[in-house]
Amino acid sequence: MIGGLSFAAPGLLLALIALPILWWLLRAVPPAPIRRRFPGVALLIGLKDDDSQTDKTPWWLLLLRMLAVAAAIIGFAGPVLNPPEERETDGPLLVLMDASWASARDWPVRLDRARGLIEEAGRDGRPVALVQLTDLPAGEGVAFQAANTWLARLDNLEPQPFAPDMGAALDWVQGIEGEFQSFWFSDGLDHPGRDDLAQALADAGGVIAFEGGRDVLGLGPARFEDGVILVPGYRLETEADRAVTVQAFGLDPTGVERELARGVLAFAAGDGEAELELDLPPELRNRISRFQIAGERSAGAVSLTDDGLQRREVGLLAGASEAEGQELLSPLHYLRQALAPTADLLEVGLSDLLLASPDVIILADVATLSPEETQGLQAWVERGGMLVRFAGPRLAGSDVARDQLDPLLPVRLREGGRTVGGAMSWGEPKALRAFDEDSPFYGLRIPADVRVSSQVLAQPDPELASRSIAALADGTPLVTRARLGQGQIVLFHVTANAEWSTLPLSGLFVQMLERLAISTRPVDPDAIDLAGITWVPEVLLDGFGTRREAGVMPGVDGIDLATAPLSAELLPGLYSGSERRVARNVLGAEEMLSAASWPAAIPVEGMDARPVVTLAWAFLSGAFVALLIDSLAALWLSGRLPGLARTAVLLLAVTLAPEAQAQEESDEALALLATSEVTFGYVLTGDARLDETSRAGLYGLGLTLARRSSVEPAPPIGIDLESDELVFFPMIYWPISPDQPIPSDAAYARLNAYLRGGGMIVFDTRDADIGRFGTSTPNGRALQEIARPLDIPPLEPVPEDHVLTRTFYLLQDFPGRHLGRDVWVEAAPPDAEQIEGMPFRNLNDGVTPVVIGGNDWAAAWAMGENGRPLYPIGRGFAGERQREIALRFGVNLVMHVLSGNYKSDQVHVPALLDRLGQ
C-alpha cells in the first residue's frame, strides 16, 4: 500500500522492471517504409545495397509505447484508491445502530458508512445482521443474512424520537448464540447501561464503535417567568463558544403557520447549558406552538409548547369591597395567590371585563347583576368564555336561582344554605369525597385537613348528579358545572376565602383551578397532577423533529405521561386531556447531555469514510488510448492514413444513416402514441428511482381517473427534454432533484413554446417536509435555476376561489406525501372581481401554465400494476385520508387541464352553492 493507494495483485508490478529491456527492443525496430509509385524503380530490380541501414524509431513514439505498456501493467495489478481497512474477523457481523433522536443530525452519513461496511462484509462473504436498538427484533436471537439483503433495506431505516433501552438491548444480545463481531453506530450520548452492553458485545467477539463528528444540540421545555419566555438549550461539546439560532413558530391570525420570533442561544466555553430569553407581547406569546433550533433536524432540537406557556387572562370581581388591612378576609386574596404566578389578572368593573374579553371571569360572592350585565355576561359565555362563581353570604341571602334556574348558575339553589350549628347543622365540618372518574378533578389527592363548615345547597334536580363534579363525604354537591353555548359555568358552593372552608388554604385549591384550565400548569407536571386522566395524543414528533398527526395512537395514562420514559408506546408530542394540553418533549427541564465514554479496548472510528475508488479501468483505458494513438502515428508515418480516413468517413456515414432513420421512426411512434389517447408525460431526470416514482404516480392517477370519471388516460410516457416533442402532452409532471442537468437552449425554446401553447407543467420539489416554498433547500435552489429561463407568468398561492378547488371535488388542501400548504399557480388578473351572488371571482378561461409545490404528489399517487399504493403515507386512517385528498387533487388538476376554468361560469353557481351549504 502506497499512501492511500493499494493493489489487488501487487506482484504484477514486478513487470515494470522489464521496461528498460522493452525500451531497447522498441528502439531497434524501424518504422514501416513509406511506399511511393516511381516507374524508375524498375531499373533497380535485382540490385543489392551492401551498406543498407535502418532508421530509428522516433523518441516520442517510443515514449508513447512505454507509457501504454506501463499503464496496462498497473491496470492489471488492480489499483484501488482509499482501500477499505482489512478486518481480521471473518465470522458473522452484527451492525448495531442507536437510531435515537441524537442520530438524526447526520443520519444520511450514518447510512452511507453502514452501507460501506456491509458491502465490505459482502465482498468477504460474511453473513450480516442489522438492528436498531430503538426497534429491537421480537423474540430471542437474530437472523444473519447475506449482505445484499440488508443493503436493500437501509434506505427504509429512520431514527426514533427517543433513546434506546440499554437494559432491553443487553438482554437481547445475551440471547444470541455463537460468536460474532459487532459494529456499533453510537449517537454519542451516555445512556444508562451502555457500558454493560459494550462489555457483552466485546465478550461475544469484539466490537468497534462509530461516532459522528457533529455536535448534539437540544431544547428543553419553555417556561414563562418574570414576564419573559425562557427556553433552555443543551449541547454535548463544550470546548468553545457557540451561538445557535432558535426560532419560534405558531399560527398567524389567518391560521397559517409561520415564524413568529427568533433569538440567539449563546453557549459559553465550558458550558453545556444556556438559556434564551424572549420578551413577547401576550398576543404573540400565546400563539407559539413550538421552538426549534435553526438548521437542526432532530426531535431533541424541537420544544413543543402547551398551556404552560400560554398564560390565560383571568378577570376577578368581588361582591364586596376589600377592607384595608384585612387582606386574608378578602374574597379575592387566595385567588390572587393561586393565579398570579401563572395567569394575567384583570381587576376592573364587569363592563370593562367584558370589553377586555378575558379567558375566564371569576365572580366571588356576586349575587345580583343588572339585566344589561346579565345579557352581556351570558353572550360572552356562549362565545366560549368560562364563568367561575364562588358562593358567600351575599349569594346565600339572595333569591337568585330560587324559583327558576338562573342562566348564569349551573343549578338552582336552596334558601339559607347549610351551616354548622344552624337548623341544618352537620354537627362537625365535613370532608370531601373522592372525585368520580367523570370529574375533571379525578385523580387529585384530597388532603386530610380540608374541611367545609358552610355552603350553599343545590335544589334536588334530575340533572343535579350529572352536573356535580365534586361533593362532600355525604354526597352534597360542592362544585357544579353546566354548559352554556360554547362556554361553561362553574359554581363553587363555598367562599373563595377561608370563611366557609379550609379549601383555599390547601394545595388542592390550586390544582382544582388548574384542572378547570383557569391557571396554566407548571413546566414539569408531576404524576399526581396528571393522574386520573387518559391523555390522547394530538401531534407527535418523529426522529427528525417533524410533526405528524397522531392518527390511531391510543391514549396514555397520566402517570405514565409524567414519569414513564419515552418509547414506541409513548412518543414525544402534544397530548390533550379534559380541557387542557400537555407537551411531552424529548428533553425535560435541567436534563443535561453527557458524552459516551468507551473503554480503551474498544476502538472508535468516525463516520466520514473516504470512498473506495477502483482505478483499474482508468489505467487500462489510458493504455488502450495510448495504443490507439500509436497505431494512428504508425499509419501516419507510413503514409497510409489519408486513405484510411476516407474509408472511416464512408463507414461512419453508412452507420449513422440507419440510426437517423430509426430516430425519425421513433419520433413518429411517440407522436402516434401520445395523440391517440389522453397521455401524460413526466420529465426524465436521470435518477432511475425518481423517474420510476413519476411513472408510477401518473399511472396511479390514470387508474383513479378511469374509475371516477370518463377520462381514461394511456400509460404515461417519459420525456427527454433534449429530443422529444412536448406539444402532444396536455400535462407534464417535472420532479425536481438537485443533481438533474439544466436543459439546453433548444430545450428551453421548446418548453416556452409548450407553455405559451396552453400546456401545463407541474413542478414538484418534493421537499415540503423540510422547507416551505421559496426556502433555500437543495431542491428549491435547483428549481430556481431550472425555471429562470422559462416564460412563467406572475404567480400566487392558490386562492380559496381558484378553479382548482372545485373542478371535480371541492378542496381547500392539496397534499401529497407531505402536508405542505404552499401551492403556487398563475396569479389572477388585477381586475378579477367577485360578482355579487357568485361564490368566486370572474376569471378568464385560460389554464395556469405552471403549478409549483413540494408535496411529492407522484409518491402519493403511485400505484403498482395491481392498483395498490406503493409508498406509505402518514399513520393509519389519517394517512389514507391524506392519500385520498392527494388523489382528488390530481383529479382536479387533470380536469382543469382538460376543461380550463369552465367551473367559473355562472351556470354552475346553484350547484356549487348547494355543495358548499350556502
Side-chain angles (χ1 to χ4, degrees), residues 157 165 178 211 489 538 555 594 659 848:
L157 300 181
D165 185 349
E211 286 191 349
I489 301 171
E538 290 185 353
S594 301
E659 292 185 1
T848 176

Side-chain angles (χ1 to χ4, degrees), residues 610-628:
R610 294 178 296 177
V612 178
V613 181
T614 303
L615 300 178
W617 65 271
F619 281 95
L620 293 177
S621 298
F624 175 77
V625 172
L627 292 176
L628 181 61

